[in-house]
Amino acid sequence: QVQLVESGGGLVQAGGSLRLSCAASGRTFSRSHMAWFRQGPGKEREFVSAISWSGVATRYADSVKGRFTISRDNAKNTVYLQMSSLKPEDTAVYYCAADPLSSWSDPRYSYWGQGTQVTVSS
């Protein structure tokens, strides 16, 4: 089993920055692909970013490319999402997810955190 706990959310002005953290427990973390999703008010959950178990491969939604950076520290069992140049449309609950099977081509995120609220004011 993998348990995920997000933190770092809060209120920030447009153009500002915020770093989210996802602390994971479980010995399979280092071999799990990790991802961030978000769900804005009245919207469906959408993919934000993902990082492979090795940390070498990453992918981003077009809406956040150039502004967000995903990283991980396997020694600390933590994945991060550095968010810069934040926009009001980035306002959402951000969720951390894990794919313990490490299928990069067809990820199955079966573990999810409780979410952390990010609010960007204009």
Side-chain angles (χ1 to χ4, degrees):
Q1 294 290 319
V2 177
Q3 293 180 306
L4 308 173
V5 180
E6 303 96 332
S7 63
L11 176 65
V12 65
Q13 291 287 116
S17 299
L18 207 61
R19 188 178 77 160
L20 305 183
S21 298
C22 174
S25 62
R27 63 182 182 179
T28 63
F29 170 79
S30 63
R31 298 293 297 188
S32 297
H33 296 318
M34 303 294 295
W36 289 95
F37 291 78
R38 67 186 182 186
Q39 185 168 17
K43 298 181 178 180
E44 296 183 1
R45 183 187 65 187
E46 66 176 348
F47 170 80
V48 176
S49 183
I51 186 167
S52 66
W53 68 267
S54 66
V56 174
T58 59
R59 65 167 72 104
Y60 298 90
D62 289 341
S63 60
V64 306
K65 285 183 179 178
R67 299 189 299 119
F68 290 10
T69 301
I70 190 170
S71 62
R72 68 189 296 165
D73 186 340
N74 288 347
K76 296 182 178 179
N77 286 354
T78 302
V79 62
Y80 305 94
L81 185 67
Q82 177 65 51
M83 306 184 294
S84 300
S85 301
L86 284 163
K87 306 173 181 179
E89 49 263 46
D90 294 319
T91 295
V93 176
Y94 284 71
Y95 298 92
C96 179
D99 171 18
L101 298 179
S102 298
S103 178
W104 189 245
S105 60
D106 186 22
R108 305 295 175 88
Y109 298 105
S110 56
Y111 295 94
W112 298 82
Q114 83 288 351
T116 186
Q117 177 70 48
V118 172
T119 302
V120 184
S121 62
S122 60

